[in-house]
């Protein structure tokens, strides 16, 4: 008997029955090959189907050549050439008992006219600029609208032929059909503009065509926006109305929801700054409006108890846990089999998934190196070692923990030593900054893996050459991480190795502030060479502790790396609201007691900030490689991984831990060549 009876009860949607209420909503992955969803996608989706999910929805596929995208390698739904790979995809999912729908979409004006190999014209309801790309589209003429309707229908036909159990018409995220619906984009005065019914007309025509061409015995659903989150634009009342009108048309089998658009897309794919389940209450309003139609909810849900409550209280009929299952493909089976302690939790940092999409890179996952690399690192690819030895792992940060867990799982005897009294390394610093509580799952999940695989963990134990001699392991993995740089070096001033005055006692590092190892004064200058969430985090901590903060950034915008991970808006809102002062494109020439001398990067103008009590260097860490250097040459088998090789992001630490745990060292074993995961015939190197 499961603890989650609602979650594991079947649901009828149109003519199909889904085995449980756990699904993944559409998520584009940028793995298309020859414009079709590739073998990489087959392996990814099959792993989630095998892992117990009931329903999967492909990333959005475009229905017409005028739908360019803002990123490469999106699948095209209108090409019969894709049928072969679609058959492989749908068969693989069906083989494991799950169902799969394909989401069809036209990006409309929220794309770029030069994203494809050729140059095109964007189509939109009106000549309104894209808030994301700043480009002006052509306002669609009637024949354009009819053409898209026809191509959408053609795409639906092919989708059905490809073996999909249904299709989802995308009317959200401010793509074309949502653009027609929303007053933010639709300024038309013909029968496709003005009144609510007029603005919904295009979507209804598409749905009708899809139903006509897909057939009555095939699932057709919609994804609608709960709200634009902009006063005066669409809100939840409109969402209820859309759902009711579409239900009354009798053409749809389900309503899936999401929210926001390119003005504020972070509100659809929220980072960890907001609580789990952030769209559930709005979904409940739609569900109440269409009680007889299956309604799916979504939004930072990863806790099975929360999902169960949503279903039990009738707020939705199906719970999407999309990123939760990017992070853990076996989520559903683990929950069903009371193995929740084995879950790998999504931390909603958005670095590995959507953050990479917005950088034009294929998705993966910070906490799950196997995501998108299933053929190399997915479930079932970890093989036991044929030569078990005794490993010593030095350092209990994410890289060391991951390596130790994987080595032990493969049958090695592993001891992990950590200097501090707790595991986690720099994760513990991240946890001291606001909005990052979810990152605690990294340590908790890795600790659980260490326990499960019998790693001998020794806290408060510094790894030294002496200790290594004493323990005499067969092999040593150095994962000693990084230490903060105290030089104030910035590559905008590359000939100055040490910023004058950086050695003063009122100059602190980010770590000093977060660990509260040194006092901080009232007036603080943060020198941000980093541009990351780290710098933002320490700045917010300082503001929260009551300091007056002026941030001097060498970057042309505040914390630029947080744009793609979608936490920028939260950070700006909070930090500016708390009184942050800042200047961009400036850097420090030197610090003289309480004065910070500055220069502008472009004009070379000089300025100074006086009466500064404390200067904080957000200039990034440097590799802590002392142990590695001490051991190298003394021991035959010494490896190093993570930040002690070169300081990088969390994703890298965990990824390198995975590689190291599998003992993949040679270039042939380590590096994945472009197309290797996408091509059916590619040889995948999995070490025995
Ligand atoms: C990498 C990535 C790609 C996405 N692509 C799509 C997409 O193609 N179509 C869509 O409707 N939503 C897309 N989304 C939004 C998700 O469907 C979902 O609404 C969002 O991730 C919030 O749900 P979650 O917190 O369960 O992940 C994407 C999300 C991610 C993380
Ligand atoms: S990359 Fe981060 S946000 Fe995305 S699925 Fe993985 S853990 Fe979640």
């Amino acid at each position: 008997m499961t603890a989650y009876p609602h979650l594991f009860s079947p649901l009828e949607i149109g003519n199909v029955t889904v085995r449980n209420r756990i699904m993944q909503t559409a998520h584009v992955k940028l793995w298309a090959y020859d414009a079709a969803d590739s073998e990489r996608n087959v392996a990814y989706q099959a792993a989630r189907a095998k892992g117990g999910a009931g329903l999967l929805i492909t990333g959005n596929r475009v229905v017409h050549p005028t739908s360019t995208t803002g990123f490469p390698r999106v699948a095209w739904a209108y090409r019969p050439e894709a049928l072969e790979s679609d058959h492989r995809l749908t068969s693989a999912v069906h083989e494991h008992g799950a169902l799969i729908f394909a989401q069809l979409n036209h990006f409309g004006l929220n794309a770029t006219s030069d994203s494809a190999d050729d140059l095109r014209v964007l189509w939109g309801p009106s000549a309104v600029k894209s808030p994301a790309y700043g480009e002006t589209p052509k306002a669609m003429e009637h024949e354009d609208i009819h053409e898209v309707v026809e191509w959408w229908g053609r795409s639906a036909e092919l989708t059905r032929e490809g073996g999909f159990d249904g299709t989802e018409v995308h009317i959200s995220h401010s793509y074309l059909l949502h653009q027609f619906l929303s007053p933010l984009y639709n300024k038309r005065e013909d029968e496709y503009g003005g009144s609510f019914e007029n603005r919904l007309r295009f979507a209804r025509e598409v749905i009708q065509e899809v139903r006509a061409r897909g057939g009555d015995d095939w699932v057709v659903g919609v994804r609608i926006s709960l709200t634009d989150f902009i006063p005066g634009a669409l809100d939840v009342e409109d969402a209820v109305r859309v759902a009711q009108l579409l239900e009354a048309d009798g053409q749809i089998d389900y309503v899936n929801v999401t929210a926001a658009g390119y003005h504020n897309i972070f509100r659809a794919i929220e980072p960890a700054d907001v609580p789990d389940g952030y769209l559930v209450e709005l979904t409940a309003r739609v569900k109440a409006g269409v009680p007889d139609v299956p309604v799916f909810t979504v939004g930072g849900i990863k806790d099975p108890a929360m999902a169960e409550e949503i279903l039990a209280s009738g707020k939705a009929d199906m719970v999407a846990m999309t990123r939760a299952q990017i992070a853990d493909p076996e989520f559903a089976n683990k929950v069903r089999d009371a193995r929740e302690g084995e879950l790998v939790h999504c931390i909603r940092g958005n670095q590995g998934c959507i953050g990479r999409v917005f950088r034009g890179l294929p998705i993966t996952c910070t906490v799950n190196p196997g995501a998108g690399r299933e053929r190399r690192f997915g479930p079932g690819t970890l093989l036991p070692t044929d030569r078990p030895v005794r490993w010593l792992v030095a350092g209990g940060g994410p890289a060391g923990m991951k390596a130790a867990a994987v080595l032990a799982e493969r049958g090695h005897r592993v001891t992990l030593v950590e200097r501090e009294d707790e595991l986690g390394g720099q994760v513990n610093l991240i946890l001291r900054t606001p909005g990052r509580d979810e990152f605690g799952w990294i340590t908790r999940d890795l600790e659980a893996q260490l326990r499960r695989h019998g790693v001998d963990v020794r806290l408060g134990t510094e790894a030294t050459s002496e200790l290594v001699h004493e323990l005499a392991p067969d092999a040593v993995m150095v994962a000693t991480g990084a230490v903060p740089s105290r030089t104030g070096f910035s590559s905008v001033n590359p000939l100055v190795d040490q910023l004058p005055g950086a050695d003063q006692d009122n100059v602190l590092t980010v770590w000093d502030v977060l660990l509260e190892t040194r006092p901080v004064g009232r007036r603080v200058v943060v020198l941000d060479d980093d541009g990351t969430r780290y710098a933002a985090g320490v700045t917010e901590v300082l503001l929260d502790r009551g300091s007056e903060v002026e941030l001097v950034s060498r970057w042309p915008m505040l914390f630029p790396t947080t744009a793609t991970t979608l936490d920028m808006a939260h950070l700006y809102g909070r930090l500016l609201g708390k009184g942050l002062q800042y200047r961009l494109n400036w850097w420090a020439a030197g610090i003289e007691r309480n004065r910070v001398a500055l220069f502008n990067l472009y004009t070379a103008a000089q300025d100074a900030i006086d009466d500064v009590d404390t200067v904080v260097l957000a200039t990034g860490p440097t590799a802590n490689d002392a142990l590695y250097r001490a051991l190298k040459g003394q021991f035959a088998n010494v490896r190093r991984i993570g930040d002690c090789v070169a300081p990088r992001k969390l994703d890298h630490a965990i990824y390198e831990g995975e590689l190291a745990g599998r003992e993949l060292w040679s270039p042939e074993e380590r590096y994945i060549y472009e197309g290797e995961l996408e091509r059916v015939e590619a040889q995948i190197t999995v070490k025995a």
Side-chain angles (χ1 to χ4, degrees):
M1 177 64 190
T2 168
Y4 307 107
H6 292 87
L7 204 49
F8 289 96
S9 64
L11 175 70
E12 272 182 35
I13 304 173
N15 66 322
V16 299
T17 303
V18 187
R19 63 181 163 190
N20 59 39
R21 309 298 180 98
I22 299 172
M23 68 174 292
Q24 271 194 309
T25 47
H27 48 299
V28 72
K29 305 168 194 77
L30 312 194
W31 301 333
Y33 194 73
D34 273 348
D37 264 337
S38 66
E39 204 56 21
R40 188 170 187 173
N41 198 46
V42 174
Y44 172 88
Q45 303 282 17
R48 271 97 199 136
K50 191 173 180 192
L55 174 63
L56 306 171
I57 303 187
T58 65
N60 66 164
R61 299 168 152 213
V62 298
V63 297
H64 188 266
T66 50
S67 177
T68 63
T69 58
F71 19 79
R73 295 182 296 277
V74 172
W76 300 353
Y78 50 85
R79 293 176 77 238
E81 291 84 345
L83 281 174
E84 197 187 317
S85 59
D86 278 352
H87 278 132
R88 272 200 306 279
L89 170 60
T90 52
S91 308
V93 169
H94 292 153
E95 194 181 311
H96 297 295
L99 301 183
I100 183 162
F101 302 160
Q103 185 185 62
L104 300 185
N105 189 29
H106 190 301
F107 276 60
L109 62 87
N110 277 320
T112 127
S113 55
D114 54 9
S115 73
D117 292 323
D118 51 13
L119 305 181
R120 302 183 187 187
V121 175
L122 300 176
W123 283 6
S126 308
V128 170
K129 272 189 187 168
S130 159
Y133 299 96
E135 287 196 50
T136 306
K138 169 195 175 190
M140 288 172 77
E141 296 166 74
H142 284 186
E143 56 272 29
D144 302 333
I145 293 174
H146 300 152
E147 191 173 313
V148 168
V149 169
E150 204 281 320
W151 280 62
W152 210 304
R154 182 190 306 182
S155 301
E157 246 173 43
L158 285 169
T159 302
R160 180 163 187 170
E161 225 181 305
F164 288 95
D165 303 287
T167 188
E168 178 171 282
V169 178
H170 201 348
I171 320 179
S172 37
H173 293 161
S174 69
Y175 292 126
L176 187 63
L177 298 181
H178 186 194
Q179 288 158 23
F180 268 77
L181 184 61
S182 173
L184 295 173
Y185 297 97
N186 189 336
K187 313 290 177 191
R188 299 174 76 98
E189 291 175 355
D190 62 1
E191 66 267 39
Y192 291 95
S195 72
F196 189 81
E197 278 76 8
N198 278 358
R199 286 184 278 122
L200 189 60
R201 187 182 307 281
F202 189 7
R204 281 168 128 169
E205 288 176 358
V206 165
I207 294 165
Q208 198 169 13
E209 182 76 4
V210 167
R211 173 57 77 198
R213 310 258 303 246
D216 287 336
D217 56 344
W218 194 55
V219 174
V220 176
V222 287
R223 192 162 204 203
I224 65 169
S225 180
L226 290 164
T227 168
D228 284 340
F229 284 121
I230 294 177
L234 298 174
D235 65 15
V236 68
E237 300 303 330
D238 298 304
V240 173
R241 212 162 142 205
V242 170
Q244 288 174 336
L245 285 170
L246 297 182
E247 181 192 18
D249 288 347
Q251 309 277 6
I252 56 160
D253 296 308
Y254 72 84
V255 172
N256 186 10
V257 300
T258 176
Y262 272 67
H263 288 90
N264 48 13
I265 197 65
F266 67 97
R267 303 203 69 167
I269 314 173
E270 285 279 18
D273 298 80
V274 302
D276 288 2
Y278 50 85
L279 295 178
V280 172
E281 294 312 316
L282 289 173
T283 311
R285 302 269 298 275
V286 170
K287 178 64 207 170
V290 287
D292 298 329
V293 181
V295 172
F296 309 164
T297 194
V298 73
I301 303 164
K302 66 174 182 308
D303 175 6
M306 175 184 272
E308 177 71 12
E309 192 281 326
I310 291 167
L311 297 166
S313 59
K315 291 175 181 159
D317 303 290
M318 190 93 190
V319 183
M321 291 179 264
T322 302
R323 283 172 290 177
Q325 291 174 93
I326 298 177
D328 194 335
E330 298 173 290
F331 178 92
N333 285 347
K334 287 178 183 175
V335 171
R336 184 198 59 198
D337 301 342
R339 290 188 288 129
E340 280 170 61
E342 294 177 28
L343 285 174
V344 176
H345 293 84
C346 167
I347 55 167
R348 280 205 280 128
N350 281 342
Q351 267 176 25
C353 55
I354 195 68
R356 283 176 58 96
V357 169
F358 288 132
R359 292 162 62 210
L361 295 168
I363 76 156
T364 176
C365 175
T366 300
V367 297
N368 174 15
R373 306 185 187 100
E374 278 71 17
R375 295 171 81 190
R376 278 207 175 211
F377 306 135
T381 59
L382 194 65
L383 301 173
T385 177
D386 51 9
R387 207 176 59 86
V389 298
R390 289 170 54 241
W391 274 94
L392 174 66
V393 177
M401 291 172 85
K402 185 72 188 170
V406 177
L407 284 169
E409 189 173 358
R410 292 183 49 241
H412 290 295
R413 277 172 53 205
V414 185
T415 301
L416 184 153
V417 295
E418 164 57 45
R419 185 180 52 186
E420 304 297 330
D421 292 330
E422 56 181 357
L423 292 168
Q426 285 191 64
V427 171
N428 297 319
L429 292 177
I430 297 172
L431 288 173
R432 289 171 177 258
T433 65
R436 299 271 95 169
D437 290 353
E438 295 301 309
F439 280 54
W441 284 111
I442 295 173
T443 313
R444 288 194 290 276
D445 290 347
L446 287 170
E447 274 177 331
Q449 290 172 30
L450 294 174
R451 272 196 304 277
R452 227 174 21 256
H453 302 304
V455 174
D456 173 13
V457 176
R458 301 186 190 178
L459 298 177
T461 308
E462 174 137 23
T464 56
S465 298
E466 294 71 37
L467 183 78
V468 176
H469 275 107
E470 190 188 316
L471 295 176
D474 301 308
V476 184
M477 188 87 69
V478 181
T480 43
V483 287
S485 163
R486 293 191 179 275
T487 63
F489 176 82
S490 165
S491 53
V492 297
N493 214 1
L495 296 178
V496 178
D497 293 339
Q498 163 103 15
L499 181 70
D503 53 353
Q504 287 182 185
D505 56 7
N506 64 341
V507 180
L508 274 55
T509 66
V510 167
W511 295 29
D512 296 328
V513 176
L514 295 178
L515 295 171
E516 299 181 72
T517 49
R518 287 166 64 181
V520 177
R522 194 179 59 81
R523 265 176 66 77
V524 179
V525 167
V526 175
L527 296 179
D528 181 12
D529 182 54
D530 235 14
T532 62
R533 175 81 191 215
Y534 229 155
V538 77
T539 304
E540 189 165 4
V541 165
L542 289 163
L543 289 164
D544 288 345
R545 288 188 198 155
S547 292
E548 255 173 51
V549 184
E550 178 160 352
L551 183 130
V552 176
S553 175
R554 57 152 285 196
W555 297 98
M557 71 197 298
L558 273 177
F559 319 122
T561 66
T562 63
T564 50
T565 46
L566 305 182
D567 39 351
M568 180 178 268
H570 289 297
L571 292 170
Y572 283 14
R574 291 207 303 263
L575 270 67
L576 299 177
K578 290 174 185 178
L580 173 67
Q581 302 291 310
Y582 64 94
R583 23 180 128 190
L584 305 174
N585 300 317
W586 286 79
W587 193 244
I591 305 162
E592 206 175 319
R593 280 319 319 157
N594 302 97
R595 162 175 254 244
V596 182
L598 304 172
F599 65 95
N600 185 286
L601 302 191
Y602 298 104
T603 64
Q606 299 189 1
D607 200 355
I609 309 175
D610 287 307
D611 303 323
V612 176
D613 298 312
T614 305
V615 177
V616 177
L617 302 174
T619 48
T622 58
N624 179 17
D625 55 6
L627 179 68
Y628 173 76
R629 296 199 179 285
L631 296 180
K632 195 177 172 198
Q634 286 190 32
F635 283 87
N637 196 357
V638 182
R639 305 283 183 176
R640 66 171 160 160
I641 56 169
D643 275 10
C644 72
V645 180
R648 283 153 296 157
K649 290 182 291 194
L650 200 47
D651 314 41
H652 292 250
I654 296 176
Y655 183 72
E656 277 191 11
E658 179 83 39
L659 291 183
R662 291 172 184 252
E663 297 173 87
L664 302 176
W665 307 116
S666 71
E668 291 74 19
E669 293 167 328
R670 287 179 77 80
Y671 301 122
I672 300 176
Y673 294 96
E674 203 170 326
E676 175 190 307
L677 297 171
E678 282 79 5
R679 286 196 312 273
V680 181
E681 72 282 4
Q683 288 295 315
I684 305 294
T685 312
V686 179
K687 189 165 175 160

